[in-house]
């Protein structure tokens, strides 16, 4: 049984990588000094998509090659942690109109600032549901040592 995708399957990951590199080269050097809430929302969406991709790879690969699957699960965990930090950064960023920072309780209540800003919390909560099913608290809080259970 082959572990690789069929030769006709298109791989869009290099295009996503190139788009991120292009975005960084164009927008970061001359852009604003503070990351906007829109940018943080877009980064969060990207990380959540990457988390889903790694989750799918880890589930499939882990059945065939357990050690590789374990590495992919560790990567998936780190991507979730990054998404969680970006979500927190979103809520720490000032509102564009007033410059005020909303209270963290607003997000926990599920109503941070209303639509469309609410989508970052909805996306994060949907992903958190998957995380709670697939990861343990120890997975989420253990320091990464590079060692993998065998």
């Amino acid at each position: 049984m082959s572990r690789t995708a069929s030769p006709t399957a298109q791989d869009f990951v290099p295009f996503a990588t190139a788009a991120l590199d292009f975005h960084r080269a164009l927008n970061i050097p001359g852009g604003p000094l503070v990351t906007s809430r829109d940018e943080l929302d877009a980064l969060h969406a990207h990380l959540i998509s990457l988390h889903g991709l790694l989750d799918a790879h880890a589930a499939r690969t882990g059945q065939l090659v357990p050690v590789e699957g374990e590495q992919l699960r560790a990567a998936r965990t780190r991507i979730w942690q990054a998404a969680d930090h970006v979500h927190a950064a979103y809520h720490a960023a000032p509102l564009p109109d007033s410059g005020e920072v909303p209270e963290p309780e607003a997000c926990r209540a599920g109503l941070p600032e209303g639509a469309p800003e609410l989508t970052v919390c909805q996306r994060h909560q949907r992903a958190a549901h998957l995380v709670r099913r697939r990861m343990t608290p120890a997975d989420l809080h253990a320091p990464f040592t590079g060692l993998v259970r065998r």
Side-chain angles (χ1 to χ4, degrees):
M1 179 186 317
S2 172
R3 291 184 354 168
T4 60
S6 68
T8 58
Q10 289 192 333
D11 187 1
F12 294 106
V13 174
F15 296 110
T17 302
L20 285 174
D21 290 342
F22 190 63
H23 172 79
R24 184 187 68 236
L26 286 179
N27 295 319
I28 301 302
L33 297 177
V34 177
T35 307
S36 71
R37 291 169 74 83
D38 289 338
E39 173 107 358
L40 290 169
D41 184 31
L43 287 171
H44 185 266
H46 186 77
L47 287 170
I48 294 300
S49 287
L50 183 56
H51 178 266
L53 178 62
L54 283 169
D55 184 62
H57 280 303
R60 291 179 58 173
T61 302
Q63 295 174 358
L64 299 172
V65 185
V67 174
E68 183 181 357
E70 187 69 27
Q71 292 288 357
L72 290 169
R73 281 188 288 282
R76 175 197 63 196
T77 299
R78 301 305 170 249
I79 292 296
W80 168 254
Q81 290 169 333
D84 198 37
H85 285 290
V86 170
H87 178 247
Y90 176 89
H91 287 295
L95 295 170
D97 297 333
S98 66
E100 295 181 26
V101 177
E103 296 294 322
E105 292 77 26
C107 178
R108 284 192 276 283
L111 303 168
E113 296 101 34
E117 290 83 4
L118 179 62
T119 59
V120 69
C121 294
Q122 290 174 339
R123 181 187 324 112
H124 197 72
Q125 289 171 359
R126 280 192 308 270
H129 181 72
L130 174 68
V131 167
R132 285 190 296 274
R133 287 187 301 161
R134 304 254 170 105
M135 297 177 209
T136 67
D139 291 336
L140 295 173
H141 298 293
F144 181 66
T145 63
L147 300 175
V148 177
R149 297 183 302 252
R150 295 182 193 232

Short mmCIF file of all heavy atoms in Angstrom, two decimals, residues 94-150:
data_model
loop_
_atom_site.label_atom_id
_atom_site.label_comp_id
_atom_site.label_asym_id
_atom_site.label_seq_id
_atom_site.Cartn_x
_atom_site.Cartn_y
_atom_site.Cartn_z
N PRO A 94 -6.20 46.56 20.48
CA PRO A 94 -7.21 47.61 20.64
C PRO A 94 -8.26 47.57 19.53
O PRO A 94 -7.97 47.18 18.40
CB PRO A 94 -6.41 48.91 20.57
CG PRO A 94 -4.99 48.54 20.38
CD PRO A 94 -4.88 47.07 20.26
N LEU A 95 -9.47 47.97 19.88
CA LEU A 95 -10.54 48.08 18.89
C LEU A 95 -10.19 49.20 17.91
O LEU A 95 -9.65 50.23 18.32
CB LEU A 95 -11.87 48.39 19.57
CG LEU A 95 -12.40 47.29 20.49
CD1 LEU A 95 -13.58 47.79 21.30
CD2 LEU A 95 -12.78 46.07 19.69
N PRO A 96 -10.49 49.02 16.62
CA PRO A 96 -10.09 50.02 15.64
C PRO A 96 -10.76 51.38 15.82
O PRO A 96 -10.15 52.42 15.58
CB PRO A 96 -10.47 49.40 14.29
CG PRO A 96 -11.31 48.23 14.59
CD PRO A 96 -11.13 47.88 16.03
N ASP A 97 -12.00 51.40 16.26
CA ASP A 97 -12.72 52.67 16.39
C ASP A 97 -12.35 53.45 17.65
O ASP A 97 -12.07 54.63 17.61
CB ASP A 97 -14.23 52.42 16.37
CG ASP A 97 -14.69 51.81 15.06
OD1 ASP A 97 -14.01 52.05 14.04
OD2 ASP A 97 -15.71 51.11 15.06
N SER A 98 -12.35 52.75 18.78
CA SER A 98 -12.16 53.44 20.05
C SER A 98 -10.76 53.32 20.63
O SER A 98 -10.38 54.11 21.48
CB SER A 98 -13.16 52.89 21.08
OG SER A 98 -12.85 51.53 21.36
N GLY A 99 -10.01 52.31 20.21
CA GLY A 99 -8.70 52.07 20.79
C GLY A 99 -8.76 51.34 22.12
O GLY A 99 -7.73 51.05 22.73
N GLU A 100 -9.96 51.03 22.57
CA GLU A 100 -10.12 50.31 23.84
C GLU A 100 -9.90 48.82 23.64
O GLU A 100 -10.09 48.29 22.55
CB GLU A 100 -11.52 50.54 24.40
CG GLU A 100 -11.80 51.97 24.79
CD GLU A 100 -13.19 52.14 25.36
OE1 GLU A 100 -13.75 51.16 25.91
OE2 GLU A 100 -13.72 53.25 25.24
N VAL A 101 -9.50 48.16 24.72
CA VAL A 101 -9.31 46.71 24.70
C VAL A 101 -10.50 46.07 25.42
O VAL A 101 -10.77 46.41 26.57
CB VAL A 101 -7.99 46.31 25.40
CG1 VAL A 101 -7.83 44.80 25.44
CG2 VAL A 101 -6.81 46.95 24.68
N PRO A 102 -11.23 45.16 24.72
CA PRO A 102 -12.39 44.54 25.36
C PRO A 102 -11.98 43.64 26.52
O PRO A 102 -10.86 43.14 26.57
CB PRO A 102 -13.04 43.73 24.25
CG PRO A 102 -12.17 43.81 23.08
CD PRO A 102 -11.04 44.72 23.38
N GLU A 103 -12.91 43.42 27.42
CA GLU A 103 -12.67 42.53 28.55
C GLU A 103 -12.62 41.08 28.08
O GLU A 103 -13.40 40.68 27.20
CB GLU A 103 -13.79 42.69 29.58
CG GLU A 103 -13.86 44.06 30.20
CD GLU A 103 -12.63 44.38 31.04
OE1 GLU A 103 -12.11 43.49 31.73
OE2 GLU A 103 -12.19 45.54 30.99
N PRO A 104 -11.74 40.24 28.65
CA PRO A 104 -11.66 38.83 28.26
C PRO A 104 -12.97 38.08 28.49
O PRO A 104 -13.27 37.12 27.79
CB PRO A 104 -10.56 38.25 29.14
CG PRO A 104 -9.80 39.41 29.67
CD PRO A 104 -10.72 40.59 29.63
N GLU A 105 -13.76 38.51 29.46
CA GLU A 105 -15.02 37.83 29.75
C GLU A 105 -15.99 37.91 28.57
O GLU A 105 -16.84 37.05 28.42
CB GLU A 105 -15.68 38.45 31.00
CG GLU A 105 -14.93 38.19 32.28
CD GLU A 105 -13.68 39.07 32.45
OE1 GLU A 105 -13.64 40.18 31.89
OE2 GLU A 105 -12.75 38.62 33.13
N ALA A 106 -15.85 38.91 27.74
CA ALA A 106 -16.75 39.05 26.59
C ALA A 106 -16.57 37.87 25.63
O ALA A 106 -17.54 37.36 25.09
CB ALA A 106 -16.49 40.36 25.86
N CYS A 107 -15.34 37.44 25.45
CA CYS A 107 -15.10 36.29 24.57
C CYS A 107 -15.64 35.02 25.20
O CYS A 107 -16.27 34.20 24.53
CB CYS A 107 -13.60 36.14 24.30
SG CYS A 107 -13.21 34.73 23.26
N ARG A 108 -15.41 34.83 26.47
CA ARG A 108 -15.91 33.63 27.14
C ARG A 108 -17.43 33.57 27.09
O ARG A 108 -18.00 32.50 27.04
CB ARG A 108 -15.39 33.58 28.57
CG ARG A 108 -13.93 33.17 28.66
CD ARG A 108 -13.54 32.86 30.08
NE ARG A 108 -13.17 34.02 30.86
CZ ARG A 108 -12.01 34.66 30.78
NH1 ARG A 108 -11.11 34.27 29.91
NH2 ARG A 108 -11.76 35.70 31.54
N ALA A 109 -18.07 34.71 27.09
CA ALA A 109 -19.53 34.74 26.99
C ALA A 109 -19.99 34.47 25.56
O ALA A 109 -21.17 34.25 25.32
CB ALA A 109 -20.05 36.10 27.45
N GLY A 110 -19.03 34.48 24.60
CA GLY A 110 -19.37 34.21 23.21
C GLY A 110 -19.82 35.43 22.45
O GLY A 110 -20.25 35.32 21.31
N LEU A 111 -19.75 36.62 23.05
CA LEU A 111 -20.21 37.84 22.39
C LEU A 111 -19.15 38.94 22.52
O LEU A 111 -19.39 39.96 23.16
CB LEU A 111 -21.52 38.31 23.03
CG LEU A 111 -22.66 37.32 23.01
CD1 LEU A 111 -23.79 37.78 23.91
CD2 LEU A 111 -23.15 37.12 21.59
N PRO A 112 -17.97 38.78 21.93
CA PRO A 112 -16.92 39.77 22.16
C PRO A 112 -17.25 41.16 21.65
O PRO A 112 -17.26 42.10 22.41
CB PRO A 112 -15.71 39.19 21.46
CG PRO A 112 -16.26 38.26 20.46
CD PRO A 112 -17.56 37.75 21.03
N GLU A 113 -17.51 41.29 20.38
CA GLU A 113 -17.85 42.60 19.82
C GLU A 113 -18.96 42.50 18.78
O GLU A 113 -19.24 43.45 18.10
CB GLU A 113 -16.62 43.24 19.16
CG GLU A 113 -15.50 43.54 20.13
CD GLU A 113 -14.41 42.51 20.06
OE1 GLU A 113 -14.14 41.98 18.96
OE2 GLU A 113 -13.81 42.21 21.09
N GLY A 114 -19.53 41.34 18.63
CA GLY A 114 -20.56 41.14 17.62
C GLY A 114 -19.96 40.81 16.27
O GLY A 114 -18.76 40.80 16.10
N ALA A 115 -20.79 40.54 15.29
CA ALA A 115 -20.33 40.19 13.95
C ALA A 115 -19.68 41.41 13.30
O ALA A 115 -20.10 42.54 13.56
CB ALA A 115 -21.51 39.71 13.12
N PRO A 116 -18.66 41.28 12.47
CA PRO A 116 -18.01 40.03 12.05
C PRO A 116 -16.92 39.58 13.00
O PRO A 116 -16.35 38.52 12.82
CB PRO A 116 -17.40 40.41 10.70
CG PRO A 116 -17.04 41.85 10.87
CD PRO A 116 -18.12 42.42 11.75
N GLU A 117 -16.61 40.38 14.02
CA GLU A 117 -15.52 40.02 14.91
C GLU A 117 -15.80 38.74 15.69
O GLU A 117 -14.89 38.06 16.13
CB GLU A 117 -15.21 41.16 15.88
CG GLU A 117 -14.58 42.35 15.22
CD GLU A 117 -15.59 43.28 14.56
OE1 GLU A 117 -16.80 43.04 14.69
OE2 GLU A 117 -15.16 44.24 13.92
N LEU A 118 -17.05 38.41 15.87
CA LEU A 118 -17.43 37.21 16.59
C LEU A 118 -16.89 35.95 15.92
O LEU A 118 -16.68 34.94 16.57
CB LEU A 118 -18.96 37.13 16.69
CG LEU A 118 -19.56 35.93 17.40
CD1 LEU A 118 -19.12 35.91 18.85
CD2 LEU A 118 -21.07 35.99 17.33
N THR A 119 -16.61 35.99 14.63
CA THR A 119 -16.18 34.78 13.92
C THR A 119 -14.89 34.21 14.47
O THR A 119 -14.71 33.00 14.46
CB THR A 119 -16.03 35.05 12.41
OG1 THR A 119 -15.07 36.09 12.23
CG2 THR A 119 -17.34 35.43 11.78
N VAL A 120 -13.97 35.04 14.96
CA VAL A 120 -12.72 34.51 15.49
C VAL A 120 -13.01 33.63 16.70
O VAL A 120 -12.41 32.56 16.85
CB VAL A 120 -11.69 35.62 15.81
CG1 VAL A 120 -12.12 36.47 16.98
CG2 VAL A 120 -10.30 35.04 16.05
N CYS A 121 -13.94 34.02 17.54
CA CYS A 121 -14.28 33.22 18.72
C CYS A 121 -15.05 31.96 18.33
O CYS A 121 -14.82 30.89 18.89
CB CYS A 121 -15.08 34.05 19.71
SG CYS A 121 -14.13 35.39 20.40
N GLN A 122 -15.96 32.09 17.38
CA GLN A 122 -16.70 30.91 16.93
C GLN A 122 -15.75 29.88 16.33
O GLN A 122 -15.84 28.69 16.63
CB GLN A 122 -17.76 31.30 15.91
CG GLN A 122 -18.90 32.08 16.52
CD GLN A 122 -19.87 32.59 15.47
OE1 GLN A 122 -19.56 32.72 14.30
NE2 GLN A 122 -21.08 32.91 15.92
N ARG A 123 -14.81 30.34 15.50
CA ARG A 123 -13.83 29.44 14.89
C ARG A 123 -12.98 28.79 15.97
O ARG A 123 -12.72 27.59 15.93
CB ARG A 123 -12.94 30.23 13.92
CG ARG A 123 -11.90 29.41 13.23
CD ARG A 123 -10.93 30.24 12.39
NE ARG A 123 -11.50 31.38 11.71
CZ ARG A 123 -11.22 32.65 12.01
NH1 ARG A 123 -10.37 32.96 12.96
NH2 ARG A 123 -11.79 33.64 11.34
N HIS A 124 -12.56 29.59 16.94
CA HIS A 124 -11.69 29.07 18.01
C HIS A 124 -12.45 28.05 18.86
O HIS A 124 -11.89 27.01 19.22
CB HIS A 124 -11.20 30.23 18.87
CG HIS A 124 -10.03 29.87 19.71
ND1 HIS A 124 -8.76 29.68 19.19
CD2 HIS A 124 -9.91 29.67 21.04
CE1 HIS A 124 -7.94 29.38 20.16
NE2 HIS A 124 -8.60 29.36 21.30
N GLN A 125 -13.71 28.31 19.15
CA GLN A 125 -14.49 27.38 19.96
C GLN A 125 -14.76 26.07 19.21
O GLN A 125 -14.74 25.00 19.82
CB GLN A 125 -15.78 28.04 20.43
CG GLN A 125 -15.51 29.11 21.47
CD GLN A 125 -16.73 29.94 21.81
OE1 GLN A 125 -17.81 29.75 21.25
NE2 GLN A 125 -16.55 30.88 22.71
N ARG A 126 -15.00 26.15 17.90
CA ARG A 126 -15.18 24.92 17.11
C ARG A 126 -13.91 24.08 17.13
O ARG A 126 -13.95 22.87 17.31
CB ARG A 126 -15.57 25.25 15.68
CG ARG A 126 -17.02 25.59 15.49
CD ARG A 126 -17.43 25.63 14.02
NE ARG A 126 -16.57 26.47 13.20
CZ ARG A 126 -16.77 27.77 12.96
NH1 ARG A 126 -17.81 28.38 13.49
NH2 ARG A 126 -15.94 28.44 12.19
N ALA A 127 -12.77 24.73 16.96
CA ALA A 127 -11.49 24.02 16.97
C ALA A 127 -11.20 23.47 18.37
O ALA A 127 -10.67 22.36 18.51
CB ALA A 127 -10.36 24.93 16.50
N ALA A 128 -11.55 24.24 19.40
CA ALA A 128 -11.31 23.78 20.78
C ALA A 128 -12.09 22.50 21.07
O ALA A 128 -11.62 21.64 21.82
CB ALA A 128 -11.69 24.88 21.76
N HIS A 129 -13.26 22.37 20.47
CA HIS A 129 -14.05 21.14 20.64
C HIS A 129 -13.26 19.93 20.12
O HIS A 129 -13.18 18.90 20.78
CB HIS A 129 -15.39 21.29 19.91
CG HIS A 129 -16.27 20.09 20.06
ND1 HIS A 129 -16.90 19.78 21.24
CD2 HIS A 129 -16.62 19.13 19.17
CE1 HIS A 129 -17.59 18.67 21.07
NE2 HIS A 129 -17.44 18.26 19.82
N LEU A 130 -12.65 20.06 18.95
CA LEU A 130 -11.82 18.99 18.39
C LEU A 130 -10.61 18.75 19.28
O LEU A 130 -10.24 17.59 19.54
CB LEU A 130 -11.37 19.36 16.97
CG LEU A 130 -10.39 18.39 16.31
CD1 LEU A 130 -11.06 17.05 16.02
CD2 LEU A 130 -9.82 18.99 15.04
N VAL A 131 -9.99 19.81 19.75
CA VAL A 131 -8.80 19.68 20.60
C VAL A 131 -9.14 18.90 21.86
O VAL A 131 -8.39 18.01 22.27
CB VAL A 131 -8.23 21.08 20.94
CG1 VAL A 131 -7.21 21.02 22.06
CG2 VAL A 131 -7.61 21.70 19.69
N ARG A 132 -10.27 19.20 22.48
CA ARG A 132 -10.65 18.50 23.71
C ARG A 132 -10.89 17.01 23.45
O ARG A 132 -10.67 16.19 24.34
CB ARG A 132 -11.90 19.13 24.32
CG ARG A 132 -11.61 20.45 25.01
CD ARG A 132 -12.81 20.93 25.82
NE ARG A 132 -13.97 21.23 25.01
CZ ARG A 132 -14.20 22.40 24.42
NH1 ARG A 132 -13.36 23.37 24.54
NH2 ARG A 132 -15.30 22.58 23.70
N ARG A 133 -11.34 16.66 22.25
CA ARG A 133 -11.57 15.24 21.93
C ARG A 133 -10.28 14.51 21.61
O ARG A 133 -10.18 13.31 21.84
CB ARG A 133 -12.53 15.10 20.75
CG ARG A 133 -13.96 15.41 21.11
CD ARG A 133 -14.89 15.08 19.97
NE ARG A 133 -14.49 15.86 18.80
CZ ARG A 133 -14.83 15.58 17.56
NH1 ARG A 133 -15.60 14.56 17.32
NH2 ARG A 133 -14.43 16.33 16.57
N ARG A 134 -9.29 15.21 21.05
CA ARG A 134 -8.09 14.53 20.55
C ARG A 134 -6.84 14.71 21.39
O ARG A 134 -5.86 14.03 21.16
CB ARG A 134 -7.79 15.03 19.13
CG ARG A 134 -8.94 14.86 18.17
CD ARG A 134 -8.67 13.74 17.20
NE ARG A 134 -9.85 13.41 16.43
CZ ARG A 134 -10.04 13.73 15.17
NH1 ARG A 134 -9.14 14.42 14.52
NH2 ARG A 134 -11.14 13.35 14.54
N MET A 135 -6.84 15.64 22.33
CA MET A 135 -5.65 15.92 23.12
C MET A 135 -5.99 15.91 24.60
O MET A 135 -7.11 16.22 24.98
CB MET A 135 -5.06 17.29 22.75
CG MET A 135 -4.59 17.41 21.34
SD MET A 135 -4.01 19.09 21.03
CE MET A 135 -4.38 19.25 19.29
N THR A 136 -5.00 15.57 25.39
CA THR A 136 -5.18 15.61 26.83
C THR A 136 -4.62 16.93 27.36
O THR A 136 -3.80 17.56 26.70
CB THR A 136 -4.43 14.44 27.51
OG1 THR A 136 -3.02 14.65 27.34
CG2 THR A 136 -4.84 13.10 26.92
N PRO A 137 -5.04 17.33 28.55
CA PRO A 137 -4.43 18.54 29.15
C PRO A 137 -2.92 18.42 29.27
O PRO A 137 -2.20 19.39 29.10
CB PRO A 137 -5.11 18.63 30.52
CG PRO A 137 -6.43 17.97 30.31
CD PRO A 137 -6.16 16.84 29.35
N ALA A 138 -2.44 17.21 29.54
CA ALA A 138 -0.98 17.01 29.63
C ALA A 138 -0.32 17.29 28.28
O ALA A 138 0.77 17.87 28.23
CB ALA A 138 -0.67 15.59 30.09
N ASP A 139 -0.97 16.89 27.18
CA ASP A 139 -0.42 17.19 25.85
C ASP A 139 -0.30 18.69 25.65
O ASP A 139 0.68 19.17 25.08
CB ASP A 139 -1.33 16.64 24.74
CG ASP A 139 -1.35 15.13 24.66
OD1 ASP A 139 -0.38 14.49 25.11
OD2 ASP A 139 -2.36 14.60 24.17
N LEU A 140 -1.29 19.43 26.10
CA LEU A 140 -1.33 20.86 25.85
C LEU A 140 -0.39 21.67 26.73
O LEU A 140 0.01 22.76 26.36
CB LEU A 140 -2.76 21.38 26.04
CG LEU A 140 -3.77 20.83 25.04
CD1 LEU A 140 -5.17 21.26 25.43
CD2 LEU A 140 -3.44 21.28 23.64
N HIS A 141 -0.04 21.14 27.89
CA HIS A 141 0.75 21.92 28.83
C HIS A 141 2.16 21.40 29.06
O HIS A 141 2.94 22.04 29.75
CB HIS A 141 0.01 22.03 30.16
CG HIS A 141 -1.30 22.73 30.02
ND1 HIS A 141 -1.42 24.06 29.70
CD2 HIS A 141 -2.57 22.26 30.10
CE1 HIS A 141 -2.68 24.39 29.60
NE2 HIS A 141 -3.41 23.32 29.83
N ALA A 142 2.48 20.23 28.50
CA ALA A 142 3.83 19.68 28.69
C ALA A 142 4.83 20.43 27.81
O ALA A 142 4.52 20.77 26.68
CB ALA A 142 3.84 18.19 28.33
N PRO A 143 6.01 20.70 28.35
CA PRO A 143 7.03 21.31 27.50
C PRO A 143 7.48 20.32 26.43
O PRO A 143 7.53 19.12 26.67
CB PRO A 143 8.17 21.63 28.47
CG PRO A 143 7.97 20.70 29.61
CD PRO A 143 6.48 20.43 29.70
N PHE A 144 7.78 20.83 25.27
CA PHE A 144 8.20 19.96 24.17
C PHE A 144 9.67 19.63 24.35
O PHE A 144 10.50 20.51 24.46
CB PHE A 144 7.98 20.65 22.83
CG PHE A 144 8.37 19.78 21.67
CD1 PHE A 144 7.68 18.62 21.38
CD2 PHE A 144 9.46 20.13 20.90
CE1 PHE A 144 8.06 17.84 20.31
CE2 PHE A 144 9.85 19.34 19.83
CZ PHE A 144 9.14 18.20 19.53
N THR A 145 9.98 18.34 24.41
CA THR A 145 11.38 17.93 24.59
C THR A 145 11.98 17.38 23.32
O THR A 145 13.18 17.18 23.26
CB THR A 145 11.47 16.83 25.68
OG1 THR A 145 10.74 15.69 25.21
CG2 THR A 145 10.90 17.30 26.99
N GLY A 146 11.17 17.10 22.34
CA GLY A 146 11.67 16.49 21.12
C GLY A 146 11.66 14.97 21.22
O GLY A 146 11.89 14.29 20.23
N LEU A 147 11.41 14.45 22.40
CA LEU A 147 11.35 13.01 22.58
C LEU A 147 9.95 12.54 22.26
O LEU A 147 8.98 13.18 22.60
CB LEU A 147 11.72 12.63 24.01
CG LEU A 147 13.11 13.05 24.46
CD1 LEU A 147 13.29 12.71 25.94
CD2 LEU A 147 14.17 12.37 23.62
N VAL A 148 9.87 11.39 21.63
CA VAL A 148 8.59 10.87 21.21
C VAL A 148 8.39 9.50 21.85
O VAL A 148 9.31 8.68 21.90
CB VAL A 148 8.54 10.74 19.67
CG1 VAL A 148 7.22 10.13 19.23
CG2 VAL A 148 8.73 12.09 19.04
N ARG A 149 7.18 9.27 22.37
CA ARG A 149 6.86 7.95 22.93
C ARG A 149 6.94 6.92 21.82
O ARG A 149 6.51 7.14 20.70
CB ARG A 149 5.46 7.96 23.51
CG ARG A 149 5.26 8.89 24.65
CD ARG A 149 3.85 8.74 25.18
NE ARG A 149 2.86 9.01 24.14
CZ ARG A 149 2.11 10.08 24.10
NH1 ARG A 149 2.21 10.99 25.02
NH2 ARG A 149 1.25 10.26 23.13
N ARG A 150 7.46 5.78 22.14
CA ARG A 150 7.53 4.68 21.16
C ARG A 150 6.96 3.43 21.73
O ARG A 150 6.95 3.13 22.82
CB ARG A 150 8.96 4.44 20.71
CG ARG A 150 9.47 5.64 19.96
CD ARG A 150 10.86 5.37 19.47
NE ARG A 150 11.40 6.64 19.03
CZ ARG A 150 11.92 6.83 17.86
NH1 ARG A 150 12.03 5.89 17.01
NH2 ARG A 150 12.39 7.99 17.52
#
